[in-house]
Amino acid sequence: MCNLYAYRTPQAEARRLLGVMTDHTGNQPPLPAIFPDQMAPVVRAQPDGAREMRAMRWGLPSPQAGGRPVTNIRNTRSGWWQPWLGPRWRCLVPANSFCEWTAASPKVPHWFALGPERPLFAFAGIWQPWTGERKKEVGEHLLYGFLTTEPNDIVRPVHAKAMPVMLTAPEEWDVWLRAPIDEALALQQPLAPERLHVIATGELEDPPSGAASAKSQQLLLPI
């Protein structure tokens, strides 16, 4: 389960890479540590196909009454999630890295990215409107979560249960936002292990590129 990620790409660059036509996020600062129930940028397609970016809150309504918000979706065959898997409800969640903790104690956070420079990618997300109370705010909220899949050989030694679905190319972003459900869900698979790297360890937020601490270097595990 992924419950921590980072987003640092400057807004103008993110808009260009993701093909965003309208940006409602304002002067978005870097987000080196995004936790559940926080607000973060999400990209969705409008009815005319134009992409917009806006802030949403991380965590979808639980299928269990009173359950915690759901950040990760693995079972896309579930009747709870099926209505939200059409193109209207799919979104891209921009990110530069994500974090998983080791299962054994001491639990050490490991940050994963496409490389030391942390290129932009997107999680395969879904969103929905919801009315209620979140973070002491009552009203209508825009909520999101993202798909997970089995871990690849880089993530598995740290977290054996799952890893996020990472979309790294414009063609994948377009398929996820626009394609029929079967074609879109074919993207729910682990990233090729040779494309993923551990870029920091022992940190509760992703340090800037090239600034991994001595602690991170000492805790880096061979995998």
Side-chain angles (χ1 to χ4, degrees):
M1 179 179 295
C2 177
N3 279 327
L4 175 59
Y5 70 97
Y7 172 63
R8 291 180 175 275
T9 300
Q11 283 299 89
E13 182 180 356
R15 288 193 295 265
R16 177 181 62 82
L17 291 171
L18 294 167
V20 171
M21 301 299 294
T22 306
D23 185 357
H24 299 281
T25 60
N27 187 19
Q28 176 65 58
L31 298 172
I34 303 169
F35 289 94
D37 239 0
Q38 286 185 216
M39 303 290 288
V42 168
V43 175
R44 64 182 181 181
Q46 296 290 80
D48 63 359
R51 297 178 188 177
E52 69 165 11
M53 179 181 287
R54 63 172 58 246
M56 298 189 188
R57 191 174 298 281
W58 188 15
L60 294 164
S62 171
Q64 300 177 345
R68 291 182 179 181
V70 177
T71 55
N72 299 167
I73 300 97
R74 179 73 176 269
N75 182 12
T76 53
R77 295 186 297 273
S78 165
W80 181 260
W81 300 118
Q82 281 284 318
W84 304 102
L85 291 172
R88 177 183 178 185
W89 305 111
R90 291 185 222 138
C91 62
L92 303 173
V93 181
N96 298 95
S97 57
F98 69 93
C99 184
E100 299 286 4
W101 274 261
T102 50
S105 296
K107 294 186 180 296
V108 179
H110 286 58
W111 287 89
F112 299 87
L114 296 177
E117 298 304 316
R118 298 154 171 78
L120 182 71
F121 62 89
F123 298 126
I126 60 175
W127 72 277
Q128 61 177 271
W130 180 80
T131 301
E133 181 178 349
R134 293 286 291 270
K135 300 290 283 188
K136 299 182 179 180
E137 295 182 14
V138 178
E140 183 169 296
H141 301 266
L142 298 180
L143 308 176
Y144 74 95
F146 49 77
L147 271 58
T148 59
T149 185
E150 63 184 89
N152 65 17
D153 291 342
I154 302 299
V155 176
R156 188 178 298 109
V158 177
H159 186 74
K161 293 183 178 180
M163 67 174 291
V165 175
M166 302 171 64
L167 308 179
T168 63
E171 295 80 11
E172 293 176 329
W173 300 337
D174 190 62
V175 167
W176 182 248
L177 289 178
R178 298 165 57 98
I181 187 169
D182 290 344
E183 183 180 354
L185 289 179
L187 296 170
Q188 191 182 12
Q189 55 185 313
L191 188 71
E194 63 270 16
R195 300 193 59 200
L196 195 63
H197 305 268
V198 177
I199 43 85
T201 62
E203 307 283 352
L204 291 181
E205 61 179 46
D206 183 15
S209 175
S213 67
K215 178 182 177 183
S216 295
Q217 297 297 326
Q218 292 169 359
L219 290 172
L220 189 60
L221 300 180
I223 57 177

